[in-house]
Amino acid sequence: MTRSDANGRLHRLERLAVRLKQDGHCTISDLAREHGVSQRTVARDLALMREQGMPLDADRGRGGGVRLDRNWGVGRLNLDYSEAVDLLISIAVAEQMNSPIFLAGLGSVRRQLAASFSPEKRNRVNRLKSRILIGVTASTYVQADFTSPPPRVVRALHQAFMDQETLRIRYAREDGTASGREIEPHYLLLNYPVWYVLAHDHLRDQPRTFRCDRMLSASRTGTRFRLRPRDDFRSPLTEHDAWV
């Protein structure tokens, strides 16, 4: 087994333990489908988990499932790089919002996560954090038609933002008219609870602001872009139409 295969299996074992602890009862077929592996692979993983001392119970017969004792601790938290980056940035956003609740221990968590990175990766995380802006709370008018963006759009936007990759989107304006765009997602802006993308729009060849929840679809293009200064986006930030 190669090192990457071993790391992949360790990560899968931890996710299996979390899944079983949270949901209590799962079938092997469900677990195989969720993790993109065969049922035989899941069965081997579960056998290894038992060997490691995890109290797993299995139901026999058709439709049988697997349970992990809820009193069992999942163990150490092992995040991959992208997950750790997401957590660090989420902490930074929470700190910038100055919420008085549940912030007491975030500084310590942030420092421990940052310390696990090499200097080069810490610099990359800091550059990402500098591209996330916190504004004022969205108006009641804006919040009235706010809906959560589709998960597939969020995933594509998230990766394109991190990798500085252009994004092909289908976008609905306030009047419902939809159009196709290719954009460079330079900055993200949170006017709680609404997220905006400050982007260079290839169709207009100028900076524009797009509401994330109005993105009907999004796909990465594989084309990288060079980050533009924040001042290039001053105009769309001050225009009223950029916020609705």
Side-chain angles (χ1 to χ4, degrees), residues 34-54:
E34 290 174 13
H35 295 278
V37 296
S38 68
Q39 294 186 37
R40 187 174 181 179
T41 295
V42 171
R44 286 198 298 264
D45 288 343
L46 294 174
L48 179 59
M49 291 166 69
R50 287 192 184 93
E51 291 176 7
Q52 294 174 339
M54 292 187 181

Side-chain angles (χ1 to χ4, degrees), residues 229-244:
R230 191 185 306 179
D231 284 347
D232 286 3
F233 300 89
R234 187 177 300 276
S235 178
L237 282 174
T238 56
E239 293 177 1
H240 175 72
D241 287 344
W243 305 98
V244 299

Side-chain angles (χ1 to χ4, degrees), residues 15 19 23 26 29-37:
R15 287 184 291 141
R19 173 78 158 82
D23 294 346
C26 303
S29 60
D30 287 339
L31 296 172
R33 184 169 53 254
E34 290 174 13
H35 295 278
V37 296

Side-chain angles (χ1 to χ4, degrees), residues 117-177:
F117 291 157
S118 66
E120 188 278 330
K121 287 185 176 179
R122 280 199 296 271
N123 288 336
R124 184 184 177 196
V125 172
N126 288 334
R127 289 194 296 270
L128 283 170
K129 288 194 296 185
S130 71
R131 295 168 56 201
I132 299 177
L133 315 176
I134 306 299
V136 298
T137 301
S139 68
T140 53
Y141 173 73
V142 170
Q143 293 189 47
D145 67 343
F146 168 75
T147 57
S148 296
R152 62 186 181 279
V153 170
V154 173
R155 287 192 294 269
L157 173 60
H158 171 273
Q159 202 59 51
F161 174 76
M162 291 187 63
D163 294 343
Q164 291 181 214
E165 185 177 324
T166 57
L167 197 64
R168 191 172 292 113
I169 66 171
R170 187 157 182 79
Y171 188 77
R173 299 190 314 189
E174 185 180 9
D175 62 6
T177 303

Side-chain angles (χ1 to χ4, degrees), residues 137-221:
T137 301
S139 68
T140 53
Y141 173 73
V142 170
Q143 293 189 47
D145 67 343
F146 168 75
T147 57
S148 296
R152 62 186 181 279
V153 170
V154 173
R155 287 192 294 269
L157 173 60
H158 171 273
Q159 202 59 51
F161 174 76
M162 291 187 63
D163 294 343
Q164 291 181 214
E165 185 177 324
T166 57
L167 197 64
R168 191 172 292 113
I169 66 171
R170 187 157 182 79
Y171 188 77
R173 299 190 314 189
E174 185 180 9
D175 62 6
T177 303
S179 62
R181 305 291 181 92
E182 190 167 311
I183 65 172
E184 301 170 1
H186 288 266
Y187 298 91
L188 295 178
L189 169 70
L190 175 62
N191 275 9
Y192 183 82
V194 184
W195 281 97
Y196 297 84
V197 182
L198 278 61
H200 186 82
D201 181 5
H202 287 193
L203 178 65
R204 308 293 185 187
D205 193 25
Q206 63 183 1
R208 298 293 294 270
T209 302
F210 298 92
R211 268 179 56 169
C212 294
D213 60 313
R214 290 204 179 137
M215 292 183 181
L216 305 177
S217 65
S219 60
R220 298 162 59 189
T221 66

